[in-house]
Amino acid sequence: MDTRAIMKATGFVVLTLVSIPSNLIIFCAFLHTQLADGKLMPADVILCHLVWANLMVAFSRSIPQTLSAFGNKNLFDDIGCKIVIFWFRVFRGLSISLTCLLSTYQAVVIAPATSKLALLKLKLPQYLLLLLFLLYLFCGVTSVNPIIFTVAYLINNTIPPYTFNLEFCFTPYPDYPTFIGQGFTNFLRDFIFIVLMAVMSAYILILLYRHSQKVKHIRSSDRGHSGARAETRASQVVVTLVILYVIFFGVDNAIWLYSLSTVRVAVLLSDIRIFFATLYTSVCPIVILLTNPKVKSKLRPIRAAQDSQLKEASMSNT
C-alpha cells in the first residue's frame, strides 16, 4: 500500500469505527424509549431519523471506501454500484435535510408568542411524520439521475472524461453539459437546506442572546426555570450541529465545485471530499451522546454495571 492508500484506509477505518457503533447506540436508546414510554418528543423523532441516516451513510460509503483502500476494488457489479450510490445519495440528502428540520423545529419551539414562527408550534409536531415522509421522497427522487450512468467497471480500465471515480464504482457522464448540470443540481439541493438551517440557527442565537440579557440579573429557582434551561441547552446543541455541518459542507462542496471545472478529478481530491462528506456521521452522534439527556439516561445503567464489574474484578485480583 502506498502512502495515500494508508492514509485513506486509516481515515475511513476511524470514521467507520466511530460512526457505526455510536449511531447504533443512539438509535437503540431512542427505540427503547419509544417501546418503554410509548412516545418520543418531536425533536427526538427527528434525531432518531438523523442517526439512522448517518448510519446508512456509513454503511454505503465509509465501509466500501475502507475496503477499497485495502485493495478490494471489485466490491459490486453494476446493479450493486447503482444501489450503493443511490443509497448514499438518499441518506446524505436526508442527513442535510433532517439537520435543517431539527434547527427549524428548535427555532419554532423557542420562538416568542409574538413571532410568526409561533404559529407553527402546534402544526409542526402534528404534521411531523408527513414532513419526514416528504423529505424521504424528495431525497429519493433527486438522487435517481446519477445512478443511470453508474457502473462497476470501465471499458479497458480507462477512465473517460467527466467521470467521478470512487475506485470501487464509477459514474461516467456522457458529456460536459450533463456533467455540469447534474453537479449544480446536487449543489443547489444541498445549498438550499444549508442556507435555511443557517438562518434558523442565527435566529436561535439571537433569541438565546436576548434571553440571557433578560435573566442576567435575575436569580430564579431551579424549579421555575428548569424547562427554559433545558430548551436553551437543546438549542445550543442544535446550533453546534449546524455549525459543524456548515463547515464540513463547505469543504465538501468547495472540492465538488472545483471538480466540476476539471475534465478528470484527481483521486486524492475525491478521497478528501468523500471523507468530509461522511465526517458528520461520526461527529454528530458524539455530540448527541454527550448532550442528549434521554440517551445519557439510557446509558447510565450500562456504565453502572460496567463499573461494578470492574470493582468486582479488581477485588478478586487483590
Side-chain angles (χ1 to χ4, degrees):
M1 293 176 65
D2 57 16
T3 303
R4 185 191 68 83
I6 293 173
M7 292 177 61
K8 176 181 176 181
T10 303
F12 281 103
V13 164
V14 172
L15 285 184
T16 304
L17 292 179
V18 173
S19 177
I20 292 179
S22 56
N23 281 295
L24 270 176
I25 289 171
I26 298 170
F27 184 79
C28 291
F30 282 130
L31 182 61
H32 183 268
T33 301
Q34 172 66 32
L35 295 175
D37 301 339
K39 185 181 180 181
L40 282 176
M41 297 299 291
D44 293 333
V45 173
I46 299 172
L47 280 174
C48 188
H49 282 269
L50 178 58
V51 297
W52 173 253
N54 289 338
L55 191 61
M56 293 300 102
V57 169
F59 278 122
S60 60
R61 185 52 56 91
S62 296
I63 291 179
Q65 287 288 345
T66 302
L67 293 174
S68 68
F70 284 106
N72 301 301
K73 308 293 184 182
N74 302 322
L75 299 175
F76 309 103
D77 57 11
D78 286 352
I79 299 298
C81 277
K82 293 180 187 296
I83 292 173
V84 167
I85 298 299
F86 176 74
W87 204 251
F88 168 75
R89 290 198 52 77
V90 168
F91 284 101
R92 181 185 178 276
L94 279 169
S95 183
I96 298 173
S97 57
L98 288 169
T99 304
C100 178
L101 179 60
L102 183 64
S103 62
T104 303
Y105 173 77
Q106 196 60 40
V108 169
V109 167
I110 67 172
T114 56
S115 171
K116 293 181 180 180
L117 286 178
L119 299 174
L120 299 175
K121 284 188 179 182
L122 294 178
K123 293 184 178 180
L124 193 55
Q126 183 180 356
Y127 294 102
L128 180 59
L129 293 181
L130 176 61
L131 285 173
L132 291 171
F133 171 77
L134 291 176
L135 287 179
Y136 275 84
L137 182 63
F138 173 76
C139 292
V141 170
T142 55
S143 300
V144 170
N145 193 42
I147 68 173
I148 297 173
F149 308 106
T150 300
V151 294
Y153 308 99
L154 296 171
I155 299 175
N156 298 326
N157 292 323
T158 302
I159 300 177
Y162 316 123
T163 298
F164 283 107
N165 176 14
L166 297 176
E167 295 190 313
F168 58 90
C169 291
F170 306 88
T171 306
Y173 289 95
D175 49 46
Y176 184 70
T178 306
F179 176 74
I180 199 75
Q182 183 59 44
F184 274 111
T185 300
N186 296 337
F187 173 78
L188 288 176
R189 182 194 72 168
D190 296 348
F191 186 70
I192 290 171
F193 284 116
I194 291 292
V195 170
L196 182 57
M197 73 171 73
V199 170
M200 290 296 106
S201 297
Y203 179 71
I204 290 172
L205 289 174
I206 292 171
L207 291 180
L208 291 179
Y209 174 76
R210 289 176 179 174
H211 177 72
S212 66
Q213 292 298 106
K214 287 181 180 179
V215 301
K216 191 173 183 180
H217 303 291
I218 299 175
R219 299 181 63 183
S220 304
S221 64
D222 291 341
R223 181 179 300 177
H225 292 269
S226 60
R229 283 197 296 271
E231 290 300 340
T232 298
R233 287 194 298 269
S235 300
Q236 292 169 344
V237 171
V238 170
V239 171
T240 300
L241 291 176
V242 170
I243 291 173
L244 290 171
Y245 209 112
V246 170
I247 293 172
F248 300 152
F249 171 86
V251 176
D252 173 14
N253 281 272
I255 299 175
W256 173 258
L257 290 175
Y258 171 77
S259 301
L260 297 179
S261 66
T262 61
V263 176
R264 287 183 172 84
V265 182
V267 177
L268 178 60
L269 278 180
S270 180
D271 290 342
I272 295 173
R273 186 182 72 82
I274 293 168
F275 180 83
F276 277 93
T278 54
L279 184 57
Y280 185 73
T281 64
S282 296
V283 177
C284 173
I286 293 175
V287 173
I288 296 173
L289 284 170
L290 293 175
T291 59
N292 190 279
K294 289 187 179 178
V295 175
K296 292 169 73 173
S297 67
K298 295 298 179 183
L299 296 179
R300 198 171 293 122
I302 300 176
R303 291 173 181 170
Q306 290 176 341
D307 291 340
S308 63
Q309 290 177 356
L310 289 174
K311 289 180 181 179
E312 291 176 0
S314 61
M315 292 177 64
S316 62
N317 290 333
T318 55

